Amino acid sequence: MSVFSNPAFDKHELVSFHSDEKSGLRAIIAVHNTTLGPGVGGCRMYPYASDADALHDVLRLSRGMTYKSALAGLPLGGGKSVIIGDPHTQKSRALMEAMGDFVNSQSGRYVAAEDSGTGVTDIRTMAGRTPYVSGLEDNEHGGDPSPSTALGVYLGMRTAAKHRLGVGSLSGLSVAIQGLGHVGFYLARYLVADGATVYGADVNRANLEKAVKELGVKAVGVSEILSMEVDILAPCAMGAVLNDESIPCIRAGIVAGAANNQLATVDDGLNLEGRGILYCPDFLINAGGIIDVHHQRTGSGEDVKREHIERIEITLAEVLRRADENHGQTQLIAESLAEEYLHRVSQRLTPLKEAC
Ligand code: NAD
């Protein structure tokens, strides 16, 4: 398993591996870039098929966090951690405490938050062993940043619809959501409130039924959701869903979802563009969660947080404008905008206020 030659390594500042025999913990912490601040990012627990898969995932996610925080104008760097294991059968208090010790050993270069496979309870357990955690604070959602993530994705959809279809709201449009978990459910709520017709699919029956019953989401099979003839497709389940197999079948004109690393490879961005599909970069429009985590840490009010999340619309509009102007891929343009911003900060130049 190579580390430095992994395509996702991309100048990571730190990659740390740890195992704890007593609790069964096997985990990796990756910190991509701390130019803007400590590497803040979720702690994911997943039954990876191999150590190499876990490494590749944590590197891609951590790099994505650098771009996400930079584009959101946050004083935070990019980091992420993964625990190798099944959260349903292998999670224990001792395991999360051992993870807390591991996070603590990085002396604050990495700050953990919740992610797939971990929740506020796990973060609270880790907090017993380290101050370097975030997302514990009691707000109306108990510290869960998912509603803010959903808000950012919804605003991103609105910006994309305005850009592509010339409409000011999503009323009358159709949206297909893959994954009605924490973010997907709140996203469906925003969309229904705006008058959109929402289709949803989930491998978890209870999550699907909740969205159908409480929000009137129209249930669709998991194998059909990506190829539905809708205005907008919203991947809100897992990464790499936009790939060689799925892209030729997509019939939506816009893809805008919460899942991290939706494009399986760089070429998939090109393939979407080649099919005339407008792709909203995931790390740009799903930044509501990290913005929420930041404002939980600083104790700012709801208004300040909301205003900050609303800036996602301005940044996305700028990316779409540049993409049109340069006939470029939205994903690459968003990455270069973030890199430009990081460069200016590291060189102590004036940040690009109009864009970030
Ligand atoms: P979640 O685990 O609560 O929800 C994911 C849902 O997707 C679950 O209901 C799961 O059953 C479903 N699912 C899994 N595989 C599926 C498939 N093949 N087809 C249909 N449904 C499937 O996770 P979440 O917190 O809602 O996050 C969703 C995505 O957004 C993840 O990729 C996460 O990394 C990303 N994200 C989340 C946040 C946040 O604030 N929670 C922030 C940024 C990015």
Side-chain angles (χ1 to χ4, degrees):
M1 182 176 66
S2 66
V3 180
F4 296 112
S5 58
N6 187 304
F9 180 73
D10 186 37
K11 298 179 273 183
H12 262 76
E13 290 177 12
L14 178 146
V15 184
S16 188
F17 298 79
H18 180 60
S19 75
D20 175 61
E21 209 181 325
K22 221 165 143 196
S23 63
L25 177 74
R26 285 188 305 139
I28 311 172
I29 291 175
V31 176
H32 178 245
N33 188 302
T34 55
T35 302
L36 300 172
V40 179
C43 170
R44 174 170 292 193
M45 183 163 183
Y46 187 79
Y48 292 99
S50 67
D51 299 352
D53 283 359
L55 175 68
H56 190 68
D57 202 31
V58 77
L59 292 176
R60 283 195 81 196
L61 290 164
S62 148
R63 178 174 178 266
M65 288 307 297
T66 299
Y67 291 144
K68 189 183 301 198
S69 290
L71 277 192
L74 290 166
L76 304 175
K80 205 86 182 184
S81 61
V82 294
I83 299 174
I84 302 168
D86 187 334
H88 302 295
T89 57
Q90 290 174 281
K91 198 195 285 175
S92 65
R93 186 171 177 84
L95 185 108
M96 294 315 301
E97 283 175 348
M99 187 63 195
D101 290 338
F102 182 29
V103 169
N104 201 45
S105 71
Q106 307 303 311
S107 309
R109 286 184 84 183
Y110 170 64
V111 177
E114 64 177 291
D115 203 89
S116 282
T118 61
V120 177
T121 313
D122 302 314
I123 301 300
R124 289 205 172 113
T125 305
M126 288 164 70
R129 309 298 271 248
T130 180
Y132 305 121
V133 290
S134 210
L136 300 161
E137 293 73 3
D138 279 327
N139 60 17
E140 66 175 304
H141 306 295
D144 177 9
S146 308
S148 294
T149 304
L151 173 62
V153 173
Y154 161 71
L155 294 172
M157 282 183 179
R158 243 178 32 181
T159 306
K162 188 173 176 196
H163 183 87
R164 176 55 65 96
L165 307 169
V167 294
S169 92
L170 300 180
S171 176
L173 299 189
S174 53
V175 182
I177 305 180
Q178 181 192 45
L180 294 157
H182 286 93
V183 181
F185 180 84
Y186 287 110
L187 175 62
R189 202 161 74 175
Y190 278 114
L191 293 168
V192 168
D194 201 1
T197 303
V198 182
Y199 299 90
D202 201 300
V203 289
N204 179 319
R205 213 172 164 73
N207 286 358
L208 178 64
E209 279 170 6
K210 182 171 180 253
V212 170
K213 206 167 139 210
E214 293 182 24
L215 304 173
V217 166
K218 297 178 192 308
V220 175
V222 287
S223 57
E224 295 155 60
I225 194 81
L226 293 177
S227 57
M228 286 201 66
E229 194 167 355
V230 285
D231 296 297
I232 305 172
L233 171 64
C236 295
M238 66 275 178
V241 284
L242 305 173
N243 52 43
D244 276 358
E245 247 177 70
S246 64
I247 290 173
C249 306
I250 292 176
R251 291 191 287 167
I254 296 169
V255 176
N260 286 310
N261 295 330
Q262 288 166 39
L263 298 171
T265 65
V266 178
D267 284 349
D268 294 312
L270 196 63
N271 294 338
L272 279 174
E273 195 197 324
R275 292 214 44 228
I277 298 167
L278 174 60
Y279 175 64
C280 299
D282 46 26
F283 63 84
L284 196 172
I285 65 167
N286 73 11
I290 189 74
I291 294 172
D292 188 310
V293 166
H294 169 70
H295 288 291
Q296 285 188 42
R297 291 176 83 207
T298 55
S300 15
E302 283 295 310
D303 288 358
V304 176
K305 185 175 87 182
R306 169 115 194 171
E307 186 273 329
H308 197 156
I309 295 170
E310 283 172 356
R311 279 189 248 153
I312 287 174
E313 290 189 284
I314 300 169
T315 311
L316 179 62
E318 172 66 10
V319 166
L320 300 182
R321 188 190 66 73
R322 290 188 185 202
D324 278 359
E325 211 171 86
N326 305 309
H327 305 288
Q329 276 182 58
T330 51
Q331 172 86 1
L332 299 183
I333 284 169
E335 285 181 8
S336 67
L337 197 59
E339 271 161 13
E340 219 177 295
Y341 181 69
L342 283 168
H343 174 73
R344 293 181 81 84
V345 171
S346 68
Q347 301 298 308
R348 296 176 196 278
L349 299 169
T350 315
L352 298 172
K353 288 207 176 87
E354 78 279 9
C356 300

